[in-house]
Amino acid sequence: MTCMKLLGIHHVAIIASDYARSRHFYTEVLGLEVIAEHYREARDSWKLDLRVDERTQIELFSFPSPPARVSRPEACGLRHLALRVADLDAAVSHLQAHGVAVEPVRVDEFTERRFTFFADPDGLPLELYED
């Protein structure tokens, strides 16, 4: 039996309750570059491809009346999306300057790296992890 070899994560898909608000957050506050943006008329839906780094993307979608989803960090399923940063203090200051509430910085007990959590406009837990 052959083993599958994963090369990395290509993208993470996020459905926004307010597309314009989330588009602003991910492009203007987090500074992600727009790769492509398309309106899908058959679905009455927007799809925005955002570059995180040279290999990873976030797909931001809108759908009419999407159902609410439990997104607390300890809910079953995807816990959070972690983003690497070189300077955690500068990133936290940047978020706070944009009115984003950021939890106190913690230190990972195993890697001794610093990290913190904040949320996107829909409450999706996001983590900044200092590289």
Side-chain angles (χ1 to χ4, degrees), residues 22-120:
S22 290
R23 186 188 194 287
H24 172 80
F25 178 80
Y26 283 96
T27 60
E28 301 300 320
V29 177
L30 295 187
L32 299 181
E33 175 190 348
V34 174
I35 299 168
E37 184 173 32
H38 302 283
Y39 179 71
R40 303 176 310 167
E41 189 172 343
R43 296 181 179 193
D44 189 21
S45 168
W46 283 96
K47 179 180 185 284
L48 178 65
D49 297 324
L50 300 164
R51 184 180 324 283
V52 176
D53 61 27
E54 60 279 348
R55 293 186 174 169
T56 312
Q57 299 176 22
I58 290 179
E59 293 180 343
L60 184 65
F61 291 94
S62 70
F63 287 104
S65 306
R69 175 177 294 171
V70 175
S71 63
R72 293 182 305 277
E74 287 75 24
C76 186
L78 181 65
R79 182 173 176 164
H80 61 266
L81 171 61
L83 303 167
R84 291 190 318 254
V85 294
D87 184 341
L88 186 61
D89 295 325
V92 167
S93 293
H94 174 82
L95 290 173
Q96 290 172 332
H98 282 86
V100 177
V102 180
E103 292 182 6
V105 172
R106 296 184 257 168
V107 177
D108 184 301
E109 63 183 297
F110 301 109
T111 65
E112 297 184 4
R113 301 276 187 184
R114 297 180 331 132
F115 66 97
T116 188
F117 286 94
F118 63 106
D120 85 345

